[in-house]
């Protein structure tokens, strides 16, 4: 089988599906190639893989038509963030400023986002091919060879095939990855004290430990980033010992940990592709960059890539679309945004890992100062909500009324 489209999106994770939905809405003929798509909406207990979605990224999902399809009963907005340092007792708390009329963000299951975007695509002219890209050749159009024997010709190919991006490797784009020597252990827990719609993070010398609020007022999604040996030990503890270790590491801030789910671990690294575009191929999401999850920004960054790509390229109405200059602008813009985010997350990771006394003291003073300083706090809130720097139009506050979910 051979088909021809304007846009072929390789990878049907959240970034790829959102990109496909936005291009389809812009009038493009779109195909998504994804071997493992599960479009069913989650039911039962909240899934382990949850994501903090910031307002800027929620607007992009809103523009794609997916945000309104999320089940509000399975989403938890958070209205405050509390961060504190085990080494210095420094503490920082922030809430949205008076100019914001929504929360700081939402905790959403990754599967729910995939299900909502799949529904948007089902109702559009886009097609989803349950296949895998095996080879890529040509320039205008680009030809994709699929594992199932089919071929797909496209004017633009979007590589949204994740951290190990086979497409990036096929194109020979260098990938600079530095492992943190750490893993993120995730679990869902219930606590004696309700979370009060606050996202909390305690910085330990071994890494940050986050409790993110879930729809049950006593339930949290836990992300514990720590050295590999500790993560391996935590992953194999029996439930009672795990709950005890977790409660102690979190200073029992939400009381006793009453129940805990299965656990999963993810190896952590920072990485960036050397080029975010090559020929008529653009990289988005984890195929382009990887950041530490301590700021919960990986997918948010990916969704802003998608908005920036749409903005730079526009709809495929003219001959010669996509223009090389527009792809170049996209690549420079988003590579610089990914670098900025890596500097922030990397800097925080290193700063809080240091155990020497003068630095711990300075760190505590810095957190307390930021907590008291209005302008500093406003800048932090703008960053946390994705409203600082060169924000793509679709993600700006004036682009849409704040999502209601
Ligand atoms: C512990 C942890 C917590 C996190 N928390 C947050 C958070 O709170 N907020 C946040 O914004 N981010 C968070 N992140 C980051 C976030 O999970 C990722 O950035 C995001 O899931 C990446 O989405 P993606 O669509 O780019 O890639 P993926 O979700 O990796 O999707 C890639 C897709 O490509 C497909 N694929 C692969 N090869 C091929 C091929 N040859 N042909 C076709 N398809 C192919 C795969 O099947 C897959 O479905 C967290 C990460 C971790 C590890």
């Amino acid at each position: 089988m051979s088909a021809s489209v304007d846009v072929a999106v390789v990878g049907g994770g959240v970034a790829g599906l959102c990109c496909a939905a936005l291009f389809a809405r812009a009038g493009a003929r779109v195909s998504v190639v994804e071997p493992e798509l599960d479009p069913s909406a989650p039911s039962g207990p909240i899934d382990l893989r949850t994501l903090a979605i910031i307002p800027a990224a929620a607007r992009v999902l809103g523009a794609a038509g997916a945000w309104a399809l999320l089940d509000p009963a399975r989403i938890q907005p958070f209205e405050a963030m509390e961060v504190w340092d085990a080494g210095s007792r420094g503490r920082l708390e922030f809430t949205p400023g008076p100019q914001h009329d929504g929360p700081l963000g939402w905790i959403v299951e990754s599967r729910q986002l995939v299900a909502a975007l799949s529904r948007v695509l089902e109702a559009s002219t886009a097609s989803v091919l349950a296949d895998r890209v095996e080879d890529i050749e040509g320039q205008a159009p680009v030809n994709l060879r699929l594992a199932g024997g089919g071929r797909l010709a496209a004017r633009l190919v979007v590589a949204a095939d994740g951290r190990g991006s086979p497409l990036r490797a096929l194109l020979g784009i260098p990938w600079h990855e530095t492992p943190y020597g750490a893993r993120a252990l995730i679990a869902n827990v219930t606590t004696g004290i309700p979370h009060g719609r606050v996202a909390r993070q305690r910085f330990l010398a071994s890494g940050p430990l986050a409790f993110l609020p879930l729809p049950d007022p006593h339930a949290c999604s836990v992300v514990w980033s720590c050295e590999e040996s500790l993560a391996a030990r935590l992953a194999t503890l029996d439930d009672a010992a795990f709950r005890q270790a977790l409660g102690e590491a979190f200073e029992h801030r939400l009381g006793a940990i009453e129940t805990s789910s299965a656990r999963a671990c993810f190896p952590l690294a920072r990485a960036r592709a050397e080029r975010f575009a090559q020929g008529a191929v653009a990289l988005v999401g984890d195929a382009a960059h990887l950041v530490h999850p301590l700021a919960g920004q990986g997918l948010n960054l990916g969704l802003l890539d998608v908005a920036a790509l749409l903005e730079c390229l526009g709809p495929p109405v003219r001959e010669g679309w996509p223009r090389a200059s527009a792809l170049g602008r996209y690549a420079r813009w988003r590579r610089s945004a990914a670098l900025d985010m890596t500097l922030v997350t990397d800097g925080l990771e290193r700063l809080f890992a240091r155990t020497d006394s003068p630095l711990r003291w300075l760190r505590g003073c810095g957190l307390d100062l930021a907590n008291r300083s209005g302008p500093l706090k406003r800048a932090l809130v703008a960053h946390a909500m994705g409203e600082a720097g060169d924000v793509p139009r679709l993600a700006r506050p004036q682009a849409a009324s704040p999502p209601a979910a």
Side-chain angles (χ1 to χ4, degrees):
M1 184 208 78
S2 175
S4 178
V5 291
D6 295 314
V7 183
V9 178
V10 180
V14 178
L17 294 176
C18 184
C19 190
L22 284 168
F23 270 117
R25 288 198 150 201
R29 293 167 300 141
V30 180
S31 276
V32 180
V33 186
E34 165 59 55
E36 289 166 17
L37 187 68
D38 174 4
S40 59
S43 58
I46 297 289
D47 206 58
L48 263 193
R49 289 300 314 260
T50 58
L51 299 156
I53 299 295
I54 59 174
R59 281 180 211 111
V60 180
L61 290 161
W67 191 261
L69 300 179
L70 299 176
D71 175 359
R74 297 182 73 91
I75 298 179
Q76 181 58 52
F78 54 97
E79 274 122 25
M81 275 190 84
E82 191 187 347
V83 173
W84 71 104
D85 176 19
S88 71
R89 316 305 302 167
R91 192 175 151 277
L92 173 64
E93 192 174 19
F94 53 89
T95 51
Q99 74 277 26
H100 299 109
D101 51 3
L104 275 178
W106 296 261
I107 306 298
V108 188
E109 293 158 291
S110 176
R111 281 186 55 203
Q112 235 208 113
L113 293 173
V114 167
L117 286 161
S118 299
R119 275 179 64 196
V120 171
L121 288 176
E122 269 165 33
S124 77
T125 54
S127 63
V128 180
L129 310 176
D131 213 325
R132 177 182 299 281
V133 169
E134 278 203 340
D135 206 358
I136 178 166
E137 57 192 23
Q139 285 288 340
V142 184
N143 290 296
L144 298 174
R145 185 161 57 76
L146 309 182
R151 283 180 178 277
L152 188 60
R155 298 164 80 188
L156 170 74
V157 170
V158 179
D161 47 351
R163 177 177 182 169
S165 174
L167 210 53
R168 190 184 61 222
L170 285 167
L171 291 166
I173 299 179
W175 176 245
H176 306 288
E177 179 167 320
T178 310
Y180 281 110
R183 283 173 187 268
L185 178 139
I186 60 170
N188 291 346
V189 301
T190 55
T191 58
I193 299 174
H195 52 61
R197 299 156 79 96
V198 178
R200 297 178 172 82
Q201 182 146 256
R202 183 179 190 219
F203 280 93
L204 298 140
S206 58
L209 167 60
F211 273 55
L212 307 171
L214 293 177
D216 173 341
H218 286 267
C220 287
S221 158
V222 168
V223 184
W224 191 348
S225 305
C226 55
E227 296 129 10
E228 295 197 332
S229 54
L230 176 57
R233 197 166 62 74
L234 291 169
T236 52
L237 288 179
D238 66 44
D239 268 12
F242 174 68
R243 292 200 305 270
Q244 181 64 25
L246 184 59
E248 279 168 16
F250 203 57
E251 294 187 307
H252 304 289
R253 185 63 66 107
L254 292 177
I257 311 293
E258 294 179 342
T259 65
S260 62
S261 67
R263 289 156 245 166
C265 277
F266 297 86
L268 298 181
R270 66 170 179 275
R272 217 169 47 256
E274 198 162 295
R275 294 181 288 283
F276 278 28
Q278 181 166 304
V281 183
L283 274 56
V284 301
D286 278 17
H289 44 68
L290 206 59
V291 294
H292 196 293
L294 67 86
Q297 291 288 354
L299 177 67
N300 290 307
L301 203 54
L303 290 169
L304 298 202
D305 293 343
V306 167
L309 186 63
L310 266 287
E311 183 171 329
C312 289
L313 266 51
V317 284
R318 290 200 188 89
E319 273 294 299
W321 183 94
R323 288 198 184 286
S325 57
L327 273 164
R329 181 161 99 76
Y330 163 76
R332 286 189 301 278
W333 181 2
R334 296 313 296 168
R335 196 165 185 280
S336 145
L339 178 62
D340 289 352
M341 186 58 75
T342 308
L343 290 175
V344 170
T345 50
D346 223 37
L348 285 171
E349 195 273 339
R350 280 169 205 231
L351 178 66
F352 285 97
R354 297 279 295 268
T355 51
D356 32 323
S357 307
L359 201 102
R360 278 193 349 230
W361 178 80
L362 266 177
R363 208 163 66 198
C365 295
L367 275 177
D368 289 337
L369 179 70
N371 204 33
R372 285 195 305 268
S373 152
L376 210 54
K377 237 185 196 180
R378 277 196 292 282
L380 277 170
V381 171
H383 269 282
M385 298 177 80
E387 288 165 8
D390 194 0
V391 181
R393 272 200 292 272
L394 279 181
R396 290 182 201 157
Q398 62 276 25
S401 49

